Amino acid sequence: MATKEELIRISSQVRRDIIRMVTASQSGHPGGSLGSADVLTALYFHVMKHDPKTWTRSCKGQDAFILSAGHLAPVLYSVLARAGYFPVSELGTLRAFGSRLQGHPSVEKGLPGIVQASGSLGQGLSCAAGIALGKRLDSEDNFVYVHCGDGESEEGQIWEAAMWADHEKLDNLIASTDWNGQQIDGPTEQVAGIENLEGKWKAFGWNVLVADGHDFDAILAAYAAAKANRGSGKPTMILFRSVMGRGVDFMAGTHKWHGKAPSVQQCEEALSQLEETLGDYQEE
């Protein structure tokens, strides 16, 4: 279980991985990946009970994680590699022809750590809810975690899953939302007005927490509170206030880097702002 200081170091390296991966492939989604780096680092290196050496897609006897906002694949790939699921060197194959690191998480090529393919926005929460019910039926005491986007939350399937999870009293389901207020077409409030997510999730019967998605004390406290909610009969949604493009000044706070790859020069500028802490992978 990583300390706060270790989490800070890991998340810096994860952000470097994201920038380098997307630059090399000249394709991908750096903005939201950078914004979710702290949350996923906390999950895989402190919060979740998991073991890459014994992991299987069934997640039998382990916590499970699904990335519902599948376009944030770069951050998931980096965290999985740094946690030991596959070689760090493989990060250099993002979106390459035949790579296991496809543009959205896929199970086709058997990449370790990927429970469910995701990319069609809105589906991940439904999958996670199903897995949570399965674990309860199997009398497992593990949790199921799922990470969603606020733009993704405009999808109707998110709210169908929300109703069903409440109906089934899935208090072993812990969802989170990257609440950065940005999506590919601009600010969420200008696209579909999804704001007041806290009130919406409460209305759907969920236990709702709001936390700073870049403060590890706040992130860990939120997950501790979510775990403590078990036994209430309510699933939990943690709304993490975050900044798209966090860590790189010219990417931060704008939708313009939602799905845009930096140039080599921009990559170098971004890397100059991020500390190398675990060692960069070598380009293939």
Side-chain angles (χ1 to χ4, degrees):
M1 184 180 293
T3 65
K4 176 183 174 182
E5 290 71 24
E6 289 170 334
L7 293 174
I8 292 172
R9 287 171 54 80
I10 295 168
S11 66
S12 180
Q13 186 67 59
V14 166
R15 287 188 168 95
R16 287 182 66 90
D17 290 344
I18 292 165
I19 293 296
R20 297 179 76 240
M21 292 162 68
V22 175
T23 302
S25 67
Q26 279 299 291
S27 179
H29 297 77
S33 295
L34 292 169
S36 291
D38 299 319
V39 170
L40 265 66
T41 295
L43 270 174
Y44 274 88
F45 291 90
H46 189 99
V47 176
M48 287 174 54
K49 293 181 179 179
H50 66 108
D51 183 354
K53 295 180 180 179
T54 59
W55 180 90
T56 63
R57 275 192 66 195
S58 71
C59 293
K60 186 73 173 179
Q62 299 190 31
D63 291 344
F65 175 79
I66 288 180
L67 180 64
S68 188
H71 56 287
L72 305 186
V75 66
L76 178 58
Y77 294 153
S78 172
V79 168
L80 287 175
R82 297 292 174 177
Y85 280 85
F86 56 86
V88 171
S89 60
E90 195 169 349
L91 294 177
T93 70
L94 175 71
R95 291 185 173 231
F97 183 75
S99 171
R100 298 195 295 178
L101 277 61
Q102 298 187 22
H104 294 254
S106 171
V107 298
E108 178 185 6
K109 296 180 181 296
L111 183 67
I114 304 300
V115 175
Q116 177 67 35
S118 55
S120 297
L121 295 180
Q123 295 182 358
L125 184 60
S126 295
C127 295
I131 295 171
L133 178 59
K135 284 189 174 295
R136 189 174 73 190
L137 293 173
D138 286 342
S139 300
E140 287 192 46
D141 62 356
N142 298 95
F143 288 93
V144 178
Y145 297 87
V146 57
H147 192 54
C148 307
D150 52 0
E152 178 191 21
S153 298
E154 296 165 5
E155 297 283 352
Q157 187 169 347
I158 288 287
W159 302 103
E160 294 177 42
M163 286 189 291
W164 187 79
D166 172 56
H167 176 74
E168 295 295 332
K169 303 184 185 304
L170 299 178
D171 54 14
N172 61 337
L173 175 61
I174 300 177
S176 55
T177 297
D178 182 30
W179 200 7
N180 59 33
Q182 306 288 333
Q183 61 190 100
I184 192 167
D185 293 324
T188 53
E189 63 183 11
Q190 295 179 16
V191 177
I194 194 62
E195 298 305 319
N196 191 23
L197 282 175
E198 183 177 4
K200 287 181 170 68
W201 283 101
K202 286 181 177 178
F204 274 76
W206 285 52
N207 173 47
V208 183
L209 305 169
V210 180
D212 183 337
H214 302 304
D215 181 325
F216 281 110
D217 288 330
I219 294 169
L220 298 181
Y223 277 118
K227 287 184 176 183
N229 178 65
R230 190 161 195 170
S232 70
K234 289 187 174 186
T236 293
M237 168 57 76
I238 307 174
L239 300 171
F240 283 115
R241 285 288 193 184
S242 63
V243 176
M244 180 172 280
R246 172 79 171 195
V248 179
D249 58 8
F250 63 88
M251 292 184 174
T254 173
H255 71 281
K256 295 180 180 179
W257 289 95
H258 174 95
K260 176 183 175 182
S263 66
V264 173
Q265 181 178 357
Q266 289 170 326
C267 173
E268 292 302 320
E269 183 180 351
L271 293 177
S272 72
Q273 301 175 35
L274 300 166
E275 182 183 2
E276 180 181 344
T277 58
L278 301 179
D280 287 334
Y281 64 86
Q282 298 300 310
E283 300 289 354
E284 294 291 331

